[in-house]
Amino acid sequence: MFDNKGSKTSLAELGEFGLIEHLTRFVELSQASTKKGIGDDAAILQFNNEEDVVVSTDMLVEGVHFDLAYMPLKHLGYKAVMVNLSDIYAMNAEATQITVSIAASNRFPVEALEELYTGILLACKTYKVDLVGGDTTSSTAGLIISITAIGKAKPNDICQRNGAKPNDLLVVTGDLGGAYMGLQVLEREKQVFKVNPNAQPDLEPYTYIIERQLKPEARKDIPTLLKSLEVTPTSMIDISDGLSSEIIHLCKNAKVGANLFEEKIPLDPTVISVCEEFNIDSTTIALSGGEDYELLFTINQKDYDKIKGNPNFSIIGHITEEKEGMHIITRANQKIALKARGWNSFEEDEQENK
Amino acid sequence: MFDNKGSKTSLAELGEFGLIEHLTRFVELSQASTKKGIGDDAAILQFNNEEDVVVSTDMLVEGVHFDLAYMPLKHLGYKAVMVNLSDIYAMNAEATQITVSIAASNRFPVEALEELYTGILLACKTYKVDLVGGDTTSSTAGLIISITAIGKAKPNDICQRNGAKPNDLLVVTGDLGGAYMGLQVLEREKQVFKVNPNAQPDLEPYTYIIERQLKPEARKDIPTLLKSLEVTPTSMIDISDGLSSEIIHLCKNAKVGANLFEEKIPLDPTVISVCEEFNIDSTTIALSGGEDYELLFTINQKDYDKIKGNPNFSIIGHITEEKEGMHIITRANQKIALKARGWNSFEEDEQENK
């Protein structure tokens, strides 16, 4: 199968996406019920003709995906569920069940895991999702949370990543960049705390973005809203790695290009002001920040009237022929190629603590 | 929810089963499609009336569940899939898909993960199960594998843990204790190797039990065989923690008792001879060894003729009224209460390396 015995390639060389692609390139599908395997937000299983089942899984590792110095365990439990439900909603499906596996070192007392589960169960209750299974085991170091989410949808409603067509409109929900800037504020406070443990930070002005980081909400409302508007996106993905990388996913999967308009990217005023405070370009943060768990989708132009003016949606660009490439049109009317600079869990740089 | 803030209970105090029960006692189910949540080998989901979906998940942690000193990565990948498929077959269902999440520290080169995936994909191919999703991320220490298995079955075929009735027969597939004794041999060789790295061990006489430990096979054949014999067990469970603890599970779930006959417990000749070599009682090993991934089930007495003499099955006892308790009847005709001494991932004794 793999034929490079003896050589040693570090995980960082391939990166997360490259590694998954590399390891799964020999996967063969043999079950009639597997409609779509690896390569989308969730797998699509068809056990009957009425309703498809969608399945997605995500693993969160202490020291890689979260830092317990500023992430309370209850929030962590809640967020871990959100990350997974977001993938189900990105299929335009309804999330119905999750399983949760936890590995925790002995430094965690039972009460710490109770905190974690309180957050998990709060998420389940709020999102009407059933916790139906899991595993709890010890680890030699740290805390690892692995969640699998299951959902359902009518076959015709499901949105994959590959359906975008030239002239489709590019739409995003909510606003972007908040989760990343929230993390920057928390990182800064952690450094201040290290120097002076008695410092009393005033985090009030940052409430919105800290909440975006610590307690994100998955967009359960969007599949329902789209149905009521009678809009079925031609493709959809959730924004976990930053707008730029998600646009590139949709374009590559559908073999199309895209034009994104900088001035149309939705930003919360807090994000704009904190970006100024940190002297960072807010567009860069929206493009590369990640962890916003908003949804990015494409719709046929005929559906424009159905979503225009809806405060949940921002039309940020349109799909083009593949040969035209993927670009952002800046406020200064410059055309710049889009680059994926999303979260890479194997990168050994400052991103590693993201 | 949990109301014991401030106190600190170590994970070992509750044990694995106690901890899962403790953490999930506030779980509420709200989805109509959740037919059975936590508490069996797999959850049962009903998205339509034709076929139920079953879902199970298991996590394997380096240093807790496996030791890479004697577990080749390819075998580890294979075994990780088996552990999960076994739970699906224990529902009398057909396994159809898995998702695989891996966290690996940077000490693992890509080639090591390729080895792991080679084993995972071999298992998928052999068992006709599709790998449909997953996550690959870095860890701060060691290797963690989290797998979720999905299967399907007609609602009437599914066997839960709670259906045993007094006078039912207690049946087990294959033979027991091999995986545990295989581990003992491997542990001994590891110690010898530490003292003398040039020692050339002759493991030939131990082939069967080492294979039971390193490359177990889940009993995919049993649901098919039972169907062809027109036998639907009244309850079923897979033997991951040792016969004793699994019998107790079936009895407690069905509120019944059981008599197990020592002389009927199926043992391979290798297990008997290696137990003599290690001066361990082979019955104790069969009762508490675990990791055999055989199936334990109960059938109505009317089905006795359908399975008697079948080399895949051993009738090892029968179900009694709850008040009679759970006992093993020894070869010397003594009646001894059954105790759960299965694998406990939080126990801090010699079991920890199991």
Side-chain angles (χ1 to χ4, degrees), chain B residues 60 65-80 116 143 183 186 210 212-216 291:
Chain B
L60 299 181
H65 301 94
F66 58 89
D67 182 337
L68 290 174
Y70 44 70
M71 181 57 114
L73 281 160
K74 186 177 162 182
H75 284 90
L76 176 61
Y78 194 91
K79 182 169 178 173
L116 186 70
L143 179 65
L183 182 64
L186 290 167
I210 289 175
R212 292 286 281 177
Q213 169 60 223
L214 295 185
K215 193 169 177 286
E291 289 202 292

Side-chain angles (χ1 to χ4, degrees), chain A residues 162-350:
Chain A
N162 61 0
K165 295 272 178 300
N167 300 317
D168 280 359
L169 300 175
L170 195 57
V171 187
V172 71
T173 64
D175 55 75
L176 302 176
Y180 184 82
M181 289 318 294
L183 182 63
Q184 300 315 304
V185 169
L186 290 167
E187 287 277 3
R188 184 178 64 184
E189 293 313 319
K190 183 182 166 185
Q191 298 311 322
V192 170
F193 180 83
K194 275 185 188 166
V195 177
N196 175 10
N198 295 318
Q200 292 282 329
D202 176 18
L203 294 178
E204 166 74 30
Y206 308 107
T207 305
Y208 176 69
I209 58 173
I210 289 175
E211 199 151 291
R212 292 287 281 177
Q213 170 60 224
L214 295 185
K215 193 166 178 284
E217 302 287 350
R219 299 305 304 253
K220 175 189 165 86
D221 55 327
I222 299 298
T224 315
L225 177 59
L226 287 170
K227 195 166 287 176
S228 74
L229 296 172
E230 295 178 351
V231 173
T232 305
T234 52
S235 69
M236 184 146 68
I237 193 169
D238 77 320
I239 303 183
S240 50
D241 295 332
L243 180 62
S244 184
S245 131
E246 313 303 356
I247 290 176
I248 292 171
H249 277 306
L250 290 188
C251 286
K252 285 199 171 166
N253 274 281
K255 297 192 168 51
V256 294
N259 285 326
L260 165 69
F261 295 92
E262 183 184 13
E263 60 179 353
K264 303 289 188 186
I265 298 173
L267 299 171
D268 186 85
T270 317
V271 172
I272 297 171
S273 68
V274 175
C275 278
E276 279 168 13
E277 190 182 327
F278 278 75
N279 202 18
I280 309 179
D281 176 48
S282 58
T283 300
T284 306
I285 296 312
L287 288 177
S288 310
E291 291 201 290
D292 287 314
Y293 302 108
E294 296 293 343
L295 297 175
L296 173 74
F297 58 92
T298 54
I299 59 167
N300 190 298
Q301 291 227 4
K302 73 172 167 50
D303 289 329
Y304 170 71
D305 284 338
K306 298 179 188 166
I307 71 154
K308 80 170 171 194
N310 189 311
N312 288 285
F313 303 125
S314 301
I315 299 168
I316 55 173
H318 59 260
I319 300 299
T320 64
E321 296 290 342
E322 186 177 22
K323 64 176 186 294
E324 295 182 43
M326 297 165 277
H327 295 91
I328 178 167
I329 319 293
T330 67
R331 286 194 186 82
N333 213 21
Q334 274 189 302
K335 198 168 177 176
I336 300 171
L338 273 182
K339 276 188 205 140
R341 286 213 47 242
W343 149 242
N344 184 333
S345 78
F346 288 114
E347 262 180 359
E348 295 183 273
D349 56 19
E350 86 284 350

